[in-house]
């Protein structure tokens, strides 16, 4: 009888210690800090056209784990726009940046072409430093969605003019011609200099700039492919942007875009996609290193949509070989993954609208909408 009593007490003790764990809440506490904690910095990384398939293609070809695999808090975002089941980068970039579903080709305006404020502009209002880095024109749809307000994404010169209306600290990419080879004959690089920017027109000068304001227009048009001369531009420029913005004691907001995963998708070019994806993942590794050391930085990695309707019909994990097939040379309508690391990153789990990313970033900063 006494023995049965001891066994029951023993079992009760075991249950008290181990039985209560709720397996649905978190699967790894390493990067989970109180989800209501306000963050100092947000680094938003967008792989343009990067679906789950593009990521797994990179994992296979790389034959060793990618940096993105380190992240435990993962969700999915729905990408349809206000005008189409299949979005473009303007509508999805605007949805992520402002929280508004809008029509394809819109930049920073709602479906009635009314300008809507972006997370970058809110960060500026709150005294944070802000930045944009892209492997496309800085005036291209995704970066433009965070700083410009135009009815049509192809009005590049108007978008360029909008860069002078927001006190952004750092912007780096291509598209110099939209600033100094303009129909209105204005040379906006002069105005940028007057506004205190270090206007840099070649990549090698970026790392040596000591300015707190950098206008890096390092390609006249679009940057070339990673394998065709762009090399580590995205990494070098992203690290420079972080170094520069991190001097601001109030913190910063930075958007980094790998633009050309999308172009590989449009070309149904598997090698192009994988090269650009692996370049992006190396930058992810550097950004995670920074965030891990800093402790007050929320890193969000996602896509604006998937491109190519890419499928993996075969492969060899040991040899790092894949056999990819495509259903379109345009974007597709699938949900895109969201990876989040750092304070409050658990708030990015689940399935939600791409517009929710804006709200989650506003909450992370502790900002309320005007
Ligand atoms: Zn595209």
């Amino acid at each position: 009888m006494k023995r049965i009593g001891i066994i029951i007490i023993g079992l009760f003790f075991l249950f008290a210690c181990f039985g209560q764990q709720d397996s649905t809440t978190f699967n790894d506490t390493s990067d989970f800090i109180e989800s209501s904690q306000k963050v100092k910095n947000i680094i938003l990384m967008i792989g343009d056209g990067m679906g789950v398939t593009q990521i797994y293609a990179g994992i296979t070809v790389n034959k060793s784990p990618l940096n993105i695999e380190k992240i435990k808090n993962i969700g999915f975002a729905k990408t349809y726009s206000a005008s189409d089941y299949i979005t473009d980068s303007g509508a999805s970039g605007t949805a992520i940046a402002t929280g508004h579903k809008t029509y394809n080709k819109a930049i920073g305006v709602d479906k009635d072409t009314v300008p809507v404020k972006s997370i970058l502009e809110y960060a500026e209002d709150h005294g944070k430093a802000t930045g944009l880095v892209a492997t496309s024109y800085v005036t291209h749809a995704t970066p433009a969605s965070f700083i410009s307000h135009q009815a049509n994404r192809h009005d590049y010169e108007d978008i360029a003019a909008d860069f002078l209306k927001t006190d952004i600290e750092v912007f780096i990419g291509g598209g110099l011609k939209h600033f100094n080879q303009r129909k209105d004959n204005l040379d906006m690089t002069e105005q940028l200099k007057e506004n205190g920017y270090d206007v840099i027109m070649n990549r090698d000068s970026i790392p040596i700039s000591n300015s707190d304001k950098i206008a890096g227009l390092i390609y006249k048009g679009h940057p070339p492919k990673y394998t065709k001369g762009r090399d580590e531009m995205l990494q070098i420029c992203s690290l420079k942007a972080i170094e520069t913005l991190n001097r601001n004691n109030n913190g910063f907001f930075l958007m980094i875009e790998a633009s050309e995963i999308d172009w590989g998708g449009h070309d149904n070019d598997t090698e192009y996609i994988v090269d650009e994806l692996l370049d992006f993942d190396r930058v992810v590794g550097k950004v995670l290193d920074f965030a891990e050391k800093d402790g007050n930085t929320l890193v969000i990695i996602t896509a604006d949509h998937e491109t190519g309707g890419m499928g993996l019909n075969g492969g060899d994990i040991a040899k790092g070989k894949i056999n990819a097939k495509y259903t379109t040379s345009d974007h597709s309508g699938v949900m895109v993954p969201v990876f989040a690391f750092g304070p409050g990153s658990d708030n990015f789990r689940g399935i939600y609208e791409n517009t929710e990313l804006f709200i989650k970033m506003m909450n992370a900063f502790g900002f309320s909408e005007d």
Side-chain angles (χ1 to χ4, degrees):
M1 189 59 189
K2 197 170 166 203
R3 193 179 290 154
I4 294 171
I6 292 168
I7 293 170
I8 291 171
I9 291 168
L11 284 173
F12 176 76
F13 179 74
L14 278 176
F15 180 75
C17 291
F18 299 105
Q20 287 173 353
Q21 278 220 359
D22 176 359
S23 60
T24 60
T25 320
F26 26 92
N27 53 20
D28 183 301
T29 59
S30 65
D31 58 3
F32 172 66
I33 302 172
E34 275 161 42
S35 56
S36 59
Q37 183 186 351
K38 299 297 167 254
V39 302
K40 186 179 173 202
N41 313 313
I42 292 179
I43 302 176
L44 171 65
M45 304 185 72
I46 296 177
D48 198 312
M50 182 186 75
V52 170
T53 314
Q54 284 77 359
I55 295 170
Y56 195 65
I59 290 173
T60 306
V61 172
N62 200 49
K63 290 195 282 185
S64 63
L66 297 186
N67 292 299
I68 207 167
E69 293 179 69
K70 294 173 185 162
I71 300 175
K72 303 286 184 275
N73 286 320
I74 301 170
F76 285 92
K78 301 173 190 175
T79 63
Y80 65 88
S81 72
S83 61
D84 297 85
Y85 185 72
I86 309 279
T87 190
D88 82 320
S89 293
S92 55
T94 299
I96 296 169
T98 71
H100 291 262
K101 291 273 186 186
T102 187
Y103 57 92
N104 283 10
K105 292 199 174 72
I107 298 290
V109 297
D110 68 13
K111 55 187 183 324
D112 306 313
T113 67
V114 175
V116 277
K117 202 169 171 178
S118 77
I119 183 74
L120 184 144
E121 291 165 322
Y122 275 105
E124 278 291 337
D125 285 359
H126 287 80
K128 290 188 184 285
T130 62
L132 296 168
V133 179
T135 55
S136 65
Y137 307 146
V138 290
T139 47
H140 211 228
T142 307
S145 297
F146 288 82
I147 193 168
S148 175
H149 305 282
Q150 296 294 331
N152 188 317
R153 60 179 285 175
H154 294 115
D155 295 337
Y156 292 119
E157 295 188 7
D158 296 334
I159 291 170
D162 282 349
F163 274 74
L164 289 151
K165 294 174 189 155
T166 297
D167 204 14
I168 182 172
E169 275 72 20
V170 176
F171 56 97
I172 310 174
L176 171 62
K177 62 182 178 182
H178 300 141
F179 291 81
N180 69 356
Q181 288 171 24
R182 299 168 52 87
K183 289 188 218 66
D184 59 15
N185 293 320
L186 279 178
D187 181 350
M188 287 194 165
T189 64
E190 290 310 317
Q191 217 167 326
L192 287 168
K193 285 174 193 155
E194 278 163 35
N195 293 4
Y197 287 93
D198 185 5
V199 178
I200 302 173
M201 297 182 189
N202 70 79
R203 193 197 70 187
D204 299 338
S205 303
I206 293 280
I208 52 177
S209 173
N210 292 319
S211 174
D212 289 337
K213 297 181 75 172
I214 297 174
L217 300 167
I218 57 178
Y219 302 94
K220 278 200 175 63
H222 283 305
K225 291 181 180 184
Y226 172 76
T227 54
K228 294 279 185 296
R230 197 184 74 229
D231 306 330
E232 307 309 323
M233 169 260 175
L234 188 60
Q235 196 174 133
I236 291 165
C237 298
S238 299
L239 291 174
K240 186 66 189 178
I242 291 171
E243 176 204 316
T244 306
L245 301 177
N246 200 29
R247 291 186 207 129
N248 183 315
N249 295 329
N250 296 324
F252 65 84
F253 170 81
L254 173 63
M255 194 287 290
I256 298 170
E257 187 205 16
S259 322
E260 301 192 24
I261 301 169
D262 174 60
W263 305 350
H266 283 293
D267 296 349
N268 291 174
D269 180 337
T270 306
E271 213 176 309
Y272 188 6
I273 292 169
V274 171
D275 288 336
E276 297 293 329
L277 191 274
L278 294 180
D279 176 49
F280 184 51
D281 186 70
R282 286 187 290 274
V283 183
V284 166
K286 297 292 180 190
V287 168
L288 290 178
D289 290 348
F290 169 81
E292 201 151 21
K293 286 196 200 84
D294 179 77
N296 280 313
T297 298
L298 171 64
V299 179
I300 305 154
I301 303 160
T302 189
D304 50 355
H305 53 74
E306 190 275 347
T307 303
M310 188 182 186
L312 294 178
N313 288 25
D316 183 318
I317 206 81
K319 292 191 184 125
K321 294 273 176 257
I322 53 172
N323 171 14
K325 291 270 184 283
Y326 301 86
T327 62
T328 176
S329 59
D330 201 339
H331 304 162
S332 76
V334 294
M335 295 187 295
V336 293
V338 181
F339 301 82
F341 177 86
S345 56
D346 58 310
N347 292 317
F348 290 78
R349 296 182 288 181
I351 296 178
Y352 38 83
E353 300 292 344
N354 52 3
T355 46
E356 285 290 313
L357 290 166
F358 166 78
I359 294 163
K360 291 177 189 296
M361 289 190 282
M362 290 286 279
N363 290 342
F365 270 151
F367 296 166
S368 42
E369 285 187 65
D370 294 348

